[in-house]
Amino acid sequence: MDAGCPRLPDTVLFEIFLYLDHTDVLSVGLVCQQWRAVARDEFLWKELFYRYYRVSRDVPRHPGAVSWYDEFQRLYDTIPCVEVQALKEHNDQVLHLSFSHSGCLFASCSKDCTVKIWSNELDISLQHSSNMRPYNWSYTQFSQFNSDDSLLLVSGVFVGPHNSSSGEIAVISMENFTLLSRVRNKPYDVFGCWLNETNLISGNLHRIGRITSCSVLWLNNAFQGIESENVNVVKRLFKIQNLNASTIRTVMVADCSRYDSPDLLLDYEEQLAASSTCPVFDLSSDSEEEEAKPKPSPEPAVQELPDAGGVPAEHGLQQFFDDIMEGRVRPAMTETELETKVAELFVRNRTKPPEPNLLSTDSNSKTKYLIFTTGCLTYSPHQIGIKRILPHQMTTAGPVLGEERRSDEFFDSLDHVIDIHGHIIGMGLSPDHRYLYVNSRAWPRDCVISDPMQPPPIAEEIDLHVFDLKTMKEVKRALRAHRAYTPNEECFFIFLDVSKDFVASGAEDRHGYIWDRHYNICLAKLQHDNVVNSVAFSPVEQELLLTASDDTTIKVWRSPRAVRIRQARRPRPRKLLFSWLMNQKS
């Protein structure tokens, strides 16, 4: 501390803190520098922490903290909220960012139809740019490095015959940046993801009726050029029926083997004590008693049909047609309602049952979860589907169409469904894959959807929900602060990212946001000139964050502590030599 700076009494500093804006890092830092010199009283720091950050008193201190003094210092000094660089090499909206697992590289996708690879050094620099327009792409939208960072998956929108839009996935080698393979991906917002080092998941969509379809998820070998009659390059994973114009989108894979050693447990309110017996959770209710009661839903992805009358599934469809012909179906149904009823009855007797004991996954197992957005009431994604991937399914070896199926196993059922009661616009996994974070825009309470092609209006405020994938329960209250304005029929994805201690998200209000995962508080707003589409923490340094925006820039943010360290490492001009040179000139 500067010797000429007056030392303020503890009580005065305490009051100053209470009136400071906690996003003003410099002001907080100055007062903290003074207080560190005069106050080490834990009671004062604890009281300051709860009052200044407006944290509920029943929230305990972070499990990794050794004192309230250190915890306050962590929250004001380690948040990546200082802009240190703006990257302007893209010439259109930047849609997505992804880091390599080593943190040495990251990739960016843009409406300019390029995917750019950046080197994360002292100053970030562009290493490579691939233009996808020669492959009839309209733009690139998503990227992901495989587990050993040797391959990059790039997802984009492909322009087909008669200007029809579909999706395509490209695999790029990180050794020499060559394009290894291309895989069709329909619809394009399935995005695609890696299952393991050499196999990736893509989607396809088959129309059955006007609002009924079938989503097929495929496992693809990244090296499609393999020439061997004994090795497949593709294999069907799952085939799932879609009702009411819904489709499977936004696939990702969670590794169940890491659940018992999480980086951070979110159970300070003991919300994880009881396991759920219900495969579907409806977030539209505020009543804790209602949410605690099991809701009757024997099959996660299929709603109960009224007036089943105890008729076996194989006779249900015939009885339904007989009821129509004899006028026993009242009131009269629209064409859309009729198609949905017939599809529901058909799928009852043509669906493979869900995997048993989803929640009792062995921590040493190699089992993984396939997670995706879906729906059952309208085309806007309002549910999260979860399907277990067993070890023998994680290779393209075997029949191309997967395991042999009986006639009553035409479709695969979902093992678990989470109902969000709103439009899902983003999902992200914690680094340990234990928790799933979901951005959504809520529907009006008690809304009724009569037409699947007209979803309910959605809120401007974004809710960030948190789910424990070990218990399939929602934990903590929803995080809030960020907003979106696009109407439901045009709503697009807002990517989020999770580090060990923080979660960050983009927003349409021209800001990125950072929250603390343990305390559930918003810590920083990061400004852009337009919509912030994506954020990405460095996997090895959570004090480094990237944000991508419609303003065509990628901004690099570091914590105040990291900025001080980096500035100290930079070589400083030698004052004596400079003075000697000036004297020589004179």
Side-chain angles (χ1 to χ4, degrees), residues 160-178:
H162 310 294
N163 291 323
S164 61
S165 292
S166 184
E168 192 167 86
I169 296 172
V171 178
I172 297 175
S173 168
M174 289 294 97
E175 182 179 0
N176 50 17
F177 303 113
T178 57

Side-chain angles (χ1 to χ4, degrees), residues 241-287:
Q241 188 194 45
N242 304 310
L243 301 176
N244 289 319
S246 64
T247 61
I248 287 178
R249 318 178 194 200
T250 320
V251 297
M252 60 179 58
V253 172
D255 184 353
C256 306
S257 65
R258 303 161 65 180
Y259 288 177
D260 287 337
S261 55
D263 297 326
L264 178 67
L265 278 173
L266 305 180
D267 63 348
Y268 55 76
E269 294 177 346
E270 297 182 349
Q271 294 178 347
L272 309 183
S275 296
S276 171
T277 58
C278 172
V280 179
F281 295 91
D282 188 350
L283 303 186
S284 61
S285 172
D286 277 344
S287 169

Side-chain angles (χ1 to χ4, degrees), residues 142-158:
F142 175 83
S143 65
Q144 185 182 49
F145 289 84
N146 70 341
S147 58
D148 64 4
D149 295 335
S150 61
L151 302 173
L152 179 68
L153 176 156
V154 182
S155 173
V157 177
F158 174 86

Side-chain angles (χ1 to χ4, degrees), residues 285-298:
S285 172
D286 277 344
S287 169
E288 294 182 0
E289 291 185 0
E290 282 186 6
E291 292 185 0
K293 293 178 183 177
K295 298 183 178 67
S297 182

